Amino acid sequence: MGDSFFVKLWPRLVRNEPPLVSELRRRNLAGLSGRVLEVGAGTGTNFPLYPADVTDVVALEPAAELRALAVRAADGDPRIEVRPERLDEYVPTSPFDAVVFSLVLCSLPDPEGAVRQVRELLVPDGELRFLEHVAARGGILEGVQKAADATVWPRVFGNCHAHRDAVGLISGAGLAVTTVEDRMLAPAWVPFPTSPLVLGRASAR
Ligand SMILES: C[S@@+](CC[C@H](N)C(=O)[O-])C[C@H]1O[C@@H](n2cnc3c(N)ncnc32)[C@H](O)[C@@H]1O
């Protein structure tokens, strides 16, 4: 079931996403310039939010159904090239000023390797921008996340893992995390697995 269900579900989810997520998407891309790699672009929800100073966006999206929607979303913006490779397959022609993770690190099969690869893809003073949901530390939510990851959650949501330490993975790969903002999607008393979000930046320097 997994991926075929997810590719039908995801476009509906992003069409109806909470205003907080839309706001964080916009802020994740604010101030970017030059050449940008977006990993796992989904339906291209971020595309209209790229600032004018961004000259090129290479958007990787391996899922064919989502990629077709991303190609449509990129229509009319010559800066955006949608490509079918997974991150681990992608061989760039030149390095990037920034790499964008947007609700994607949770789904990558080798997250440690992915962040190491991102570091290699960036120019020396390049930046990783990330908007991710993250592992809760303690409380009921941590247990709910672990139970979700061990059962249905990755199968239903395209290999998404709720209890993944995005910030630890990024700093563990040698990127210097410069800003992190913690937000909650659901009220604190609702143990929704992907409620804790981080918006952050990390430098390759
Ligand atoms: C939860 S969706 C997020 C989509 C988009 N970034 C957004 O913010 O709406 C995760 C995306 O990552 C893609 N993905 C999964 N594994 C990938 C990989 N190894 N390389 C690149 N993209 C991948 C999936 O196909 C999916 O579109």
Side-chain angles (χ1 to χ4, degrees):
M1 176 183 72
D3 284 355
S4 59
F5 176 74
F6 172 72
V7 297
K8 289 185 171 48
L9 178 68
W10 185 252
R12 288 170 194 233
L13 290 180
V14 288
R15 271 201 301 274
N16 297 290
E17 70 185 13
L20 173 62
V21 176
S22 306
E23 177 208 322
L24 295 176
R25 282 183 186 283
R26 183 184 51 72
R27 289 178 52 209
N28 196 29
L29 307 183
L32 285 176
S33 60
R35 188 170 146 75
V36 176
L37 174 69
E38 181 172 341
V39 178
T43 64
T45 311
N46 288 320
F47 293 170
L49 305 174
Y50 278 101
D53 286 344
V54 170
T55 54
D56 301 274
V57 179
V58 175
L60 304 182
E61 180 42 64
E65 281 188 53
L66 299 180
R67 189 169 63 252
L69 296 171
V71 167
R72 206 182 301 164
D75 191 31
D77 190 338
R79 301 175 302 168
I80 301 174
E81 178 192 10
V82 180
R83 298 183 61 101
E85 292 100 324
R86 297 189 314 262
L87 176 62
D88 59 291
E89 298 170 323
Y90 177 58
V91 181
T93 50
S94 53
F96 291 92
D97 298 299
V99 173
V100 170
F101 279 172
S102 172
L103 307 173
V104 75
L105 191 53
C106 59
S107 331
L108 299 181
D110 172 13
E112 289 90 356
V115 186
R116 279 197 304 272
Q117 187 183 349
V118 160
R119 195 171 172 222
E120 301 299 313
L121 292 171
L122 284 165
V123 297
D125 61 346
E127 193 175 48
L128 172 64
R129 296 287 188 92
F130 56 96
L131 166 60
E132 295 289 345
H133 60 76
V134 288
R137 294 282 166 230
I140 292 174
L141 187 51
E142 179 175 344
V144 169
Q145 288 182 332
K146 287 179 174 171
D149 286 356
T151 55
V152 295
W153 199 266
R155 292 184 193 153
V156 172
F157 294 109
N159 199 42
C160 171
H161 292 78
H163 193 71
R164 203 165 260 190
D165 176 12
V167 178
L169 284 162
I170 290 165
S171 56
L175 288 158
V177 175
T178 53
T179 66
V180 176
E181 179 178 327
D182 292 297
R183 303 296 291 264
M184 291 295 277
L185 201 49
W189 53 273
V190 180
F192 181 63
T194 55
S195 184
L197 299 170
V198 287
L199 177 68
R201 300 181 182 189
S203 165
R205 231 192 299 229

